[in-house]
Amino acid sequence: MTISNNIKQVTAEIEEFRSKYKISHPVNLLAVSKTKPYESVMEAYNAGQRRFGENYAQEGCEKIERANAEHIPDIEWFFIGPIQSNKTKMIAEHFDWVLSCDRSKIVTRLNEQRPFHKGKLKVCIQVNISEEEQKSGVYTESEIMDLAAFIAKQPNLEFRGLMAIALNTSEPATLKDEFTRMNILYQKLKSIYPTVDTLSIGMTADMEIAVECGSNLVRIGTRIFGARNYNK
Ligand SMILES: *Cc1c(COP(=O)(O)O)cnc(C)c1O
């Protein structure tokens, strides 16, 4: 299967789920290109894909610099990985979005390091819905509300919503509970902050339930680019 065909299939499937669950809002596709070469990103780009997600700061910034050097227009770059504080500058200087904000220290640094000419950095809070210790993200509602208020105060950031990664072994019923909780939190934030418009849940394995539960930005890697090899 080619990347271009995969994108067509995933896009068609998203539309199928939208009509199956009578979802009226658009559901956007974020192509997760971590560990994949620049050429694969360009293959997806040539098939019409414009939103790309990267997990590793260095790798992502290299792809972004190359795309900029080649004057490739209209790409939106999303940082979706765990954030170490020594990488915030690189992230703030290159990316358009950060979906994986999980603590105030990172928020402060991203705000300070965002270059003015790039405009506001769009930011989502990562929620640790599955409450796994090794996964980043905030969990309790009060922590989420506090971090949201903190992000909304930053002049160089724009608070846009929530992102979460479900447990990949979850039963459909558990997934549905977790995603439903996310949607409730998202609706609550949306009623407080007019800039909030993003609920990013759903990956290759759980896209259907995520769309059913109100996702408007699914993050798909494997299904588009094939399995990842981390030992290269
Ligand atoms: C890798 C990754 C994805 C994509 O996962 P697939 O299962 O390959 O679709 C989505 N979101 C995040 C945060 C990821 O790290």
Side-chain angles (χ1 to χ4, degrees):
M1 275 314 247
T2 64
I3 290 171
S4 143
N5 273 327
N6 293 345
I7 287 178
K8 284 196 195 97
Q9 274 193 2
V10 175
T11 307
E13 208 167 277
I14 292 172
E15 290 315 306
E16 185 191 315
F17 296 149
R18 276 186 67 220
S19 56
K20 179 170 173 188
Y21 298 106
K22 306 198 165 38
I23 303 294
S24 55
H25 59 252
V27 178
N28 292 319
L29 173 60
L30 178 61
V32 177
S33 42
K34 63 181 178 212
T35 80
K36 299 295 174 182
Y38 178 78
E39 289 70 24
S40 298
V41 173
M42 282 304 115
E43 209 176 318
Y45 180 87
N46 291 329
Q49 181 62 30
R50 291 295 180 269
R51 295 178 179 85
F52 291 92
E54 290 284 337
N55 284 59
Y56 308 103
Q58 183 71 40
E59 180 195 334
C61 291
E62 282 167 15
K63 289 175 196 167
I64 295 170
E65 280 176 8
R66 190 153 163 205
N68 289 344
E70 293 176 11
H71 305 290
I72 310 289
D74 302 331
I75 301 192
E76 272 192 295
W77 295 97
F78 292 67
F79 190 79
I80 63 173
I83 307 176
Q84 295 163 279
S85 37
N86 63 349
K87 298 286 164 54
T88 52
K89 185 161 189 282
M90 189 189 276
I91 292 169
E93 287 175 352
H94 289 81
F95 283 83
D96 303 296
W97 289 73
V98 174
L99 298 188
S100 46
C101 251
D102 63 350
R103 54 200 193 277
S104 57
K105 180 185 176 189
I106 295 300
V107 171
T108 302
R109 292 176 66 92
L110 289 172
N111 179 64
E112 283 170 3
Q113 294 166 337
R114 179 66 171 177
F116 184 73
H117 75 270
K118 297 277 287 179
K120 292 184 186 206
L121 179 65
K122 302 167 179 79
V123 165
C124 289
I125 294 175
Q126 182 172 354
V127 182
N128 186 357
I129 37 173
S130 55
E131 289 184 273
E132 291 163 279
E133 296 230 328
Q134 74 275 21
K135 233 172 235 172
S136 28
V138 282
Y139 181 73
T140 67
E141 181 167 339
S142 70
E143 276 179 313
I144 294 165
M145 290 300 158
D146 288 352
L147 192 57
F150 189 67
I151 295 170
K153 278 196 314 214
Q154 310 298 319
N156 303 320
L157 306 181
E158 184 169 68
F159 180 47
R160 297 296 287 266
L162 299 176
M163 186 272 267
I165 306 171
L167 196 64
N168 58 14
T169 54
S170 288
E171 300 282 312
T174 313
L175 277 177
K176 210 166 163 177
D177 285 352
E178 290 179 347
F179 286 164
T180 302
R181 174 174 180 261
M182 284 290 291
N183 196 0
I184 292 167
L185 287 166
Y186 167 66
Q187 297 300 339
K188 184 163 183 181
L189 288 166
K190 208 170 150 65
S191 72
I192 304 173
Y193 302 102
T195 52
V196 167
D197 63 359
T198 303
L199 175 60
S200 182
I201 47 179
M203 302 172 33
T204 295
D206 52 24
M207 186 172 94
E208 177 168 358
I209 300 180
V211 171
E212 182 185 0
C213 295
S215 178
N216 55 31
L217 182 66
V218 292
R219 308 179 309 274
I220 307 297
T222 312
R223 184 69 195 285
I224 294 175
F225 296 107
R228 287 178 289 272
N229 174 7
Y230 288 97
N231 319 310
K232 287 188 295 217

